Structures are given as structure tokens and as C-alpha cells.
Amino acid sequence: MIHSLFLLKKKLDLLFTADRIMREVKGISLTEAYLSFFKEDKVFLSSEGSEIEQSILESGGGITAYAIEGGDIQRRSYPNSFGGDFRKGGWEFIEELDLMGNAERIAKEAVALLSADPLPEMVTTLILDGTQLALQVHESCGHPTELDRVLGMEASFAGTSFLTLDKRNNFQYGSEIVNIVADATHPYGLGSFGFDDEGVPAQRSYLVKNGLFVGYLTSRETAVIFGEKSNGTMRADGWNRIPIIRMTNINLLPGEMPFEDLIASTDEGVYMAVNKNWSIDDKRLNFHFGCEIAYEIKNGKLGKIYKNPYYTGITYEFWRSCDAIADEKSWRVWGVPNCGKGEPIQIARVGHGVSPARFRKVKVGGK
């Protein structure tokens, strides 16, 4: 009991201190500080003789600062929006986030956005940071590769898919440097596990290889369409729900260019960071993403900031325009703890490994 109270105090002290640091910045109107811990014990028994026990611990958190002036509301979040970042692991991950060390910076950025200009509408080169690119992968790569969506077996919440069966091994999804894998074996990804809820071992498989669409997320029922075995993506969010195909860790593999060179080799463009809002159609083709902040890129250097930035496009055109991906040093798996699918809705915890990447001729703007 004493130990539990000590741990609770440690968590609350961290949150209150980070919150106080943000509130001390002049111009801040509202703050949020958040920690989340999740433990799941799961037992799987099957008539085929499987007897599997798994225990999973997840941790995460984040902070957000709001600056309000008149009808203008600007926010900055760290390390990500909508609650922060999450992964398999314990308190060591919370310490790694260094919420207190980043609290003053993000608060000052929120205030600075109030006086920033909206991003002008134009077609330009776009570089996305890891937080935003992770959501881009989630919405335009993860969901459309779920084979039950493609077959019309499940369409609630996430819609269907433009990746029809005839496109497998025949469709140029992205540029040749785009490689996307589903990897449930990553040591700390939120979409990692030992076995899925059909008793299939965790696996790593390609969805897009050298830009070519090559595979789906499958189950034992759907994989037989191709004469193959399941790649282990069936999960349920509780004992009283039927497992459905869910993302694991859907990862964009890193490139070879250091992040600094990614910026330095861009003569003119925009760098966007941290999601603010998003919209994508039910086939996962046409999308519109808004971010918290954008930076002008001019002559290979980051410049003035812009508020309310957005970018829009068509999934395969966007990924075909990718001409550079930052290297492994910038690569990180971001956790998404609240992916909804199914009816009744089921919530899955998934991950996305990405490095910042560059896209050419993208329509951007702000309002």
C-alpha cells in the first residue's frame, strides 16, 4: 500500500510540475498533462490444442499547452497530440519522454503561433515530421491493407479500401524508396504481441516493397484466398468480442539521408509537425490533414513559423511523390492507443515506425 502511494505521488508530481512550467509562460490559457498505464493479461485456448498466456504492459503520456486570443486558439503538444506517445514498457519510457524538460518550449511555441501568419495556399515540397507521418501511414497505408475491408466483410468506422484484389503485385503504391511492413515482433511497438487472437505467432511481412503493393493484413479465414497462411493480425479488444483484422506496427522503413540533410537539400518548401485534425474518405484515397505548426524551408534552412497549416492529396499520388526518407537515427515507433473499428466498436492499440520524409508537389495551405 505504501509503495503504491509512493508511485502515485511520483506520477502526480511529474504531471503537476510539467503543468506548472507551462502555465508560467505568459499568454498560456489552458494546459493538459497526461499519463496512461495499461496492463493486459490474456489467455487463449483453442480446440486445436493451443494454450497461450500473454501479459502486456504499456505506458505513455504527454503535455499540451493552449494559447487563446479573441477567437484564435492555438495549441502545441509534446511528444504528440491526442494524449502523447505510448509504447510497450514501463516507467523508464515516461522518464525518457522528459515532459518537464519540454514543457516551457511547447508553451512558448503555442503563444508564438497566435501572432504567426496562416500558411499560404500553394503547391510545394512538403516534409513531414514523425508524429504526422505516423498518422499518415495509419490512415492511408494501414487501414486500406486490411483484407476484410477489401472483401467487404467489415466496413464500419474505417470504410472499405481502394486496394482491390487485382492490385496485389500490380499496383505502384509509392516511389521506389517506399517500403512498408507490418511488424508485430518489434520489442516496444504498441502493436506488438506474441500471438494474435487466432493463436497465430507474431510476424513481420511486407505490405509495400520498393513502392509496389505486395500484401495485405490477413486472418486464417481470408489468407486462403491467396493459398497462404495468416500473417497474424486478428485481434479482439475483449473476451466478449469477435477478433477482426487489426493493424500491428505498420512501419515505413527508414531511408539513408540524415534528417539535417533532408532539410538542407530542400531549396524551398514547408516542414509540418504534430497532427491537429484529419479527414479521409471511406476508400482511403482523398485526404486532408491539419497540423499544429509549420516551418518555412528556404535555401535548406528552417525559417518562420506558420499557424493552422494543412496539406491534402490522393493516397497513391502522395506516396509516389516521396523522394527522400530520413535515416534510422531519426526512426521511431509512435503509439496509437485508440484505433477504432467494427460494430460494436473495438479499440485496438497499434504502432507506426517512421522517419521524417519528403514529398514533392503537394498542395498545402492554412486558414
Side-chain angles (χ1 to χ4, degrees), residues 86-264:
F86 308 81
R87 70 169 56 168
K88 297 283 192 295
W91 185 255
E92 73 282 355
F93 176 55
I94 304 302
E95 292 181 334
E96 182 183 322
L97 291 176
D98 189 17
L99 300 182
M100 290 187 293
N102 286 275
E104 182 179 9
R105 175 184 62 83
I106 68 131
K108 288 182 176 179
E109 289 176 0
V111 174
L113 284 170
L114 287 175
S115 57
D117 293 327
L119 180 65
E121 289 192 357
M122 56 184 161
V123 175
T124 189
T125 297
L126 173 66
I127 297 178
L128 295 180
D129 85 320
T131 61
Q132 177 57 39
L133 191 55
L135 185 62
Q136 181 75 51
V137 168
H138 181 93
E139 300 293 348
S140 69
C141 306
H143 277 307
T145 57
E146 296 166 344
L147 189 51
D148 57 350
R149 297 288 190 197
V150 176
L151 298 175
M153 298 165 63
E154 172 55 58
S156 295
F157 280 90
T160 56
S161 173
F162 73 95
L163 290 175
T164 49
L165 297 180
D166 58 300
K167 289 184 171 64
R168 190 185 191 219
N169 297 319
N170 293 303
F171 183 71
Q172 195 67 27
Y173 181 92
S175 65
E176 291 185 356
I177 66 171
V178 174
N179 292 279
I180 301 172
V181 298
D183 185 4
T185 68
H186 192 277
Y188 61 78
L190 209 60
S192 297
F193 46 81
F195 296 83
D196 78 353
D197 290 341
E198 288 187 315
V200 177
Q203 297 170 44
R204 182 182 187 273
S205 60
Y206 273 91
L207 304 178
V208 176
K209 191 169 187 178
N210 299 326
L212 186 68
F213 170 61
V214 297
Y216 295 99
L217 304 174
T218 66
S219 62
R220 295 178 66 178
E221 180 181 14
T222 59
V224 295
I225 293 174
F226 302 109
E228 299 173 355
K229 294 182 179 180
S230 167
N231 57 9
T233 67
M234 284 286 274
R235 289 192 288 163
D237 74 354
W239 63 269
N240 58 347
R241 293 288 183 265
I242 296 174
I244 53 180
I245 293 176
R246 305 309 301 260
M247 287 179 254
T248 55
N249 301 300
I250 310 303
N251 302 334
L252 174 68
L253 299 186
E256 299 179 353
M257 184 179 292
F259 174 70
E260 296 78 12
D261 293 349
L262 189 66
I263 300 293

Side-chain angles (χ1 to χ4, degrees), residues 65-67 72-76 110 113-114 276 292 307-308:
Y66 295 84
D72 191 6
I73 302 175
Q74 296 297 324
R75 82 178 190 218
R76 285 292 285 126
L113 284 170
L114 287 175
K276 195 172 186 178
E292 289 186 355
K307 65 182 175 183
N308 305 332

